[in-house]
Amino acid sequence: MKVRGSNVALGLYVALIFTFVFAPIVFSLVFSFNSQRFPTIPLGEFSTEWYVKIFNDEDVWKAVRNSVIVSTSTAVLATVLGFCTAYTDFRYNFRFKGPYLALILLPPTIPLIIMALAMLAWLSRIGMSGQLWSIILAHSVLTAPFAMAIIRLRLHQMDPDLEAAAWNLGGTEWQAMRHVIVPFCAPAIVSALCLTAAVSFDEFAVAWFVSGLNKTVPIVILEIVQGNIDPTVNAIGTFVFLTSMTLVILAQLIFISRQIKSHS
Amino acid sequence: MTAPLVTFQNVQKWFGDFVAVRDMTLDIHEGEFLAIMGSSGCGKTTTLRMLAGLETPTAGEIRIGGRLMNDVKPHDRDTPLVWQSLALFPYLTARENVEFGLKMRGVSPNERKTRALDWLDRMQISEFAERNVATLSGGQKQRVALARSLVMEPQMLLLDEPLSALDANLVIRMQGVLIQLQKELGITFVYVTHSQSEAFAMADRVVIMSQGDIAQIGAPKDIYRAPANRFVAEFVGRNNILSGKVTDIGAKGVEISAQQGTFVAANPNRPLSAGQSVSFTVSADLVSLSTEEPKTKNKAQATLISEEFIGSIVTVFLEGAAGQDYKVQMQERALAALDLVPGRDVWLSWDIENANILESDL
């Protein structure tokens, strides 16, 4: 009976956490389909009015286009960077490897606002701020450590003899990379792509500072909120949430399923 | 005699301050089954990895077929290796694993497939060709690993403790497979192992290594019967080792005065002089036990300490007067007929030709 009691308590605790995490999102989702202008209960009728409104808003479309370009470019750049760093760590031993790894993992620990200011100062000093690719550069720096961590985890599961076996069977270093290292890391590479894309798609602070006139989706959301409270913000919020959640869940599914497969 | 396939000329390999291979000079002949044996850290795997180009010698020369190989990259060599970990590609099927080397060499997909399937068939695992290697058993993986190397039709196959992960019955089976393959293909096998039984069962010649040096090279029987030095005598089989000074050199043998008595050993292949310190060995299975004092020259008195019983053969441990340990191996029924009692003195004896003087005391 005692065990059962504590199980119930733990269950409640978990339910409470999920409630706090997801309730705002669920509310946003519900009100995005609500016909009334202000989020009050009782609800009005079911309506897709706000979706139609953002659908017809050219600014939103521009922002979505910018965000898609930024997040896909960032994902590719950050994953390539992350893969190279993880492979360096796997393959080579050198002096100062500890500090090298620590430096690489540093960016996510810096407060975003500081990072954003520093990025702006640096990029404008070298005349590279205010462009779409300024955001891509800044986001790549920010997300590459995540990509590296995921790929590094996968490389650690690899028998170090595999690469040498490929050389031994007549493969050059590039062939071994293409036919052994990359296929082995494929699930980690795909999850790194999804995760870095999701982080970049959601990121506001750095994008706001370095973007100039190239607004991404989170910046447009802020502008809507600043201008007039209007349920379009719920509609666009739901869209952003679903996009990032899909990417993150995809990343998890791909990585975990391969994990289970390779251990069975 | 034809030129050797592989020559090591004063090869050294250092890892920082650690010497893995000190000064190796060794010839490997075409078509021979050579085993390199030693305990872990003796340099045997480093030697093999240098042959495959995975390590570069610090000094000295390695030639294969006369060509200097020191700086030749692994992929430019014809030295496939069967890894201790097998190193099969886990995301590929058995057939794709076997095809891998051919693919790297640019062989066409059709020919790759035919050759891979031929080898899987030859290794009697064709039914698993399309299975992911991760789902195969240890023995099946072993055969895939062999097929993956042999499909390259190499001049020489390198094997790094390939049987160490298998259970005892499977090891004997795979030994048979390896001997058969080596005979049929007529190529050189270089086999690294820490297992004396594997090395002696399969190899034409055995190289025994100790701390980066070659301790002895020879046919298994020669090494077993005539170890060159104390290290080999202790590492291989069960040997009794006695030391003393040469007192007389005659046609029949060398007379040696030791603490335990005066013995006569077979004449070695090197000149000795009176007064020189030497050691000699007698294999445990070449010593006789008796309760009566024997009439031969080579005898010693000792007390029974313990017995080690493994089936029909028994090893008897005894202690002599001067604290010397003796080992005697004999048939269980012969020992039973002697009716030994612990603590009672018995006589050991052996023939002159079975007393082997060591080349050095190392």
Side-chain angles (χ1 to χ4, degrees):
Chain A
M1 285 310 276
K2 227 180 185 176
V3 177
R4 226 168 144 197
S6 68
N7 273 353
V8 169
L10 275 175
L12 276 173
Y13 177 67
V14 172
L16 210 63
I17 287 177
F18 275 105
T19 307
F20 268 90
V21 172
F22 288 104
I25 295 163
V26 171
F27 271 78
S28 165
L29 180 82
V30 169
F31 286 112
S32 74
F33 289 107
N34 185 13
S35 63
Q36 285 176 1
R37 192 170 166 76
F38 295 101
T40 50
I41 291 177
L43 294 168
E45 288 158 31
F46 176 84
S47 153
T48 52
E49 180 190 347
W50 313 114
Y51 285 92
V52 173
K53 195 174 172 195
I54 58 163
F55 196 80
N56 292 322
D57 186 335
E58 207 165 305
D59 273 0
V60 171
W61 273 113
K62 230 181 190 170
V64 169
R65 208 198 54 159
N66 281 345
S67 273
V68 168
I69 292 172
V70 167
S71 61
T72 44
S73 312
T74 298
V76 172
L77 251 175
T79 304
V80 168
L81 267 176
F83 176 83
C84 294
T85 339
Y87 181 74
T88 312
D89 167 52
F90 165 78
R91 172 84 188 272
Y92 302 100
N93 264 316
F94 47 91
R95 265 180 88 191
F96 306 120
K97 189 170 171 177
Y100 166 79
L101 286 175
L103 270 176
I104 285 159
L105 289 169
L106 206 59
T109 66
I110 300 169
L112 272 177
I113 192 75
I114 308 281
M115 185 81 173
L117 275 168
M119 277 286 177
L120 175 64
W122 162 246
L123 289 174
S124 61
R125 185 65 53 90
I126 58 173
M128 286 170 71
S129 76
Q131 309 292 326
L132 206 53
W133 46 272
S134 317
I135 318 177
I136 296 171
L137 275 182
H139 278 183
S140 299
V141 172
L142 206 65
T143 56
F146 297 113
M148 184 200 91
I150 296 171
I151 294 165
R152 188 163 168 251
L153 200 67
R154 180 69 182 156
L155 278 171
H156 270 279
Q157 296 169 342
M158 194 171 98
D159 174 359
D161 287 341
L162 279 191
E163 192 181 22
W167 303 335
N168 179 253
L169 291 165
T172 59
E173 303 218 0
W174 282 111
Q175 280 178 312
M177 172 65 77
R178 201 181 130 212
H179 295 286
V180 176
I181 306 284
V182 171
F184 189 89
C185 291
I189 290 171
V190 175
S191 5
L193 283 171
C194 293
L195 202 72
T196 48
V199 172
S200 163
F201 196 80
D202 290 349
E203 203 284 328
F204 167 73
V206 174
W208 193 73
F209 272 83
V210 301
S211 63
L213 298 171
N214 302 288
K215 294 172 204 157
T216 59
V217 173
I219 296 169
V220 166
I221 294 178
L222 183 80
E223 285 181 350
I224 294 171
V225 175
Q226 280 175 331
N228 51 336
I229 306 269
D230 166 322
T232 48
V233 82
N234 291 328
I236 197 170
T238 303
F239 162 72
V240 171
F241 171 73
L242 288 179
T243 311
S244 340
M245 270 316 266
T246 310
L247 286 171
V248 171
I249 290 170
L250 225 61
Q252 282 294 312
L253 282 182
I254 289 163
F255 199 60
I256 290 170
S257 73
R258 286 304 180 100
Q259 216 79 332
I260 292 164
K261 223 178 187 177
S262 63
H263 281 279
S264 61
Chain B
M1 200 170 195
T2 52
L5 177 64
V6 179
T7 54
F8 282 76
Q9 190 67 51
N10 302 104
V11 171
Q12 297 183 23
K13 179 64 187 176
W14 293 76
F15 294 104
D17 292 338
F18 176 76
V19 58
V21 173
R22 196 182 307 276
D23 183 20
M24 176 176 267
T25 296
L26 170 71
D27 288 348
I28 303 174
H29 303 290
E30 220 171 311
E32 84 169 319
F33 197 136
L34 182 87
I36 304 177
M37 182 177 129
S39 38
S40 57
C42 72
K44 57 187 192 299
T45 297
T46 306
T47 304
L48 199 73
R49 289 176 66 89
M50 285 196 284
L51 263 180
L54 298 167
E55 305 289 353
T56 309
T58 313
E61 287 185 353
I62 298 176
R63 289 176 186 275
I64 300 179
R67 178 180 170 208
L68 183 65
M69 299 301 280
N70 285 31
D71 296 313
V72 177
K73 292 267 182 194
H75 62 85
D76 284 331
R77 297 178 183 228
D78 176 30
T79 51
L81 172 58
V82 179
W83 303 75
Q84 181 169 16
S85 66
L86 299 183
L88 295 175
F89 304 115
Y91 44 86
L92 298 180
T93 64
R95 176 174 59 79
E96 289 167 335
N97 262 281
V98 178
E99 280 184 25
F100 191 90
L102 300 173
K103 193 173 170 183
M104 296 298 107
R105 296 269 192 239
V107 177
S108 76
N110 280 333
E111 192 191 337
R112 280 199 319 245
K113 189 170 177 185
T114 316
R115 281 169 69 179
L117 289 176
D118 274 355
W119 264 103
L120 287 168
D121 193 36
R122 188 162 180 176
M123 299 308 294
Q124 299 168 350
I125 44 168
S126 48
E127 58 195 294
F128 306 113
E130 302 306 327
R131 288 256 297 268
N132 184 303
V133 283
T135 65
L136 302 184
S137 74
Q140 290 159 352
K141 282 182 186 165
Q142 189 72 60
R143 287 164 189 263
V144 175
L146 273 169
R148 185 178 72 172
S149 291
L150 289 171
V151 74
M152 306 294 288
E153 295 173 358
Q155 252 189 312
M156 170 166 64
L157 180 69
L158 310 179
L159 302 107
D160 184 12
E161 308 227 17
L163 307 184
S164 59
L166 303 181
D167 63 61
N169 288 327
L170 214 48
V171 168
I172 305 284
R173 277 254 297 282
M174 286 308 294
Q175 281 182 6
V177 170
L178 287 173
I179 294 171
Q180 183 88 24
L181 270 174
Q182 198 261 341
K183 276 211 185 104
E184 284 171 14
L185 298 169
I187 62 171
T188 306
F189 275 30
V190 181
Y191 188 100
V192 159
T193 182
H194 66 272
S195 154
Q196 184 188 327
S197 65
E198 284 176 27
F200 280 23
M202 294 187 282
D204 301 318
R205 280 199 309 159
V206 177
V207 176
I208 295 181
M209 289 188 72
S210 162
Q211 298 180 334
D213 286 312
I214 293 179
Q216 190 170 2
I217 307 175
K221 199 176 164 190
D222 295 341
I223 290 182
Y224 190 72
R225 286 302 180 213
N229 49 55
R230 192 173 277 266
F231 173 80
V232 177
E234 282 168 357
F235 189 66
V236 169
R238 293 226 143 112
N239 282 295
N240 295 292
I241 308 173
L242 292 157
S243 303
K245 277 191 165 45
V246 174
T247 49
D248 187 37
I249 303 160
K252 273 188 167 175
V254 181
E255 194 179 79
I256 298 158
S257 168
Q259 217 182 347
Q260 296 84 3
T262 302
F263 304 103
V264 182
N267 273 311
N269 298 330
R270 62 182 172 124
L272 291 174
S273 52
Q276 191 175 344
S277 291
V278 290
S279 296
F280 67 94
T281 62
V282 189
S283 280
D285 61 325
L286 297 175
V287 180
S288 308
L289 274 187
S290 57
T291 41
E292 309 279 302
E293 182 171 350
K295 298 205 162 44
T296 50
K297 185 94 178 157
N298 288 331
K299 61 192 169 192
Q301 211 168 9
T303 316
L304 176 72
I305 305 284
S306 64
E307 293 170 17
E308 184 186 79
F309 176 68
I310 35 163
S312 60
I313 301 285
V314 184
T315 307
V316 184
F317 297 89
L318 307 106
E319 191 180 321
Q324 167 82 33
D325 287 325
Y326 294 102
K327 286 157 258 174
V328 180
Q329 249 171 18
M330 59 199 302
Q331 292 280 328
E332 197 278 329
R333 59 198 158 101
L335 181 67
L338 277 174
D339 193 23
L340 291 186
V341 182
R344 199 167 80 197
D345 280 0
V346 281
W347 287 94
L348 293 79
S349 61
W350 56 88
D351 292 339
I352 291 171
E353 63 267 25
N354 292 333
N356 154 63
I357 295 180
L358 298 178
E359 278 173 33
S360 71
D361 264 353
L362 275 175

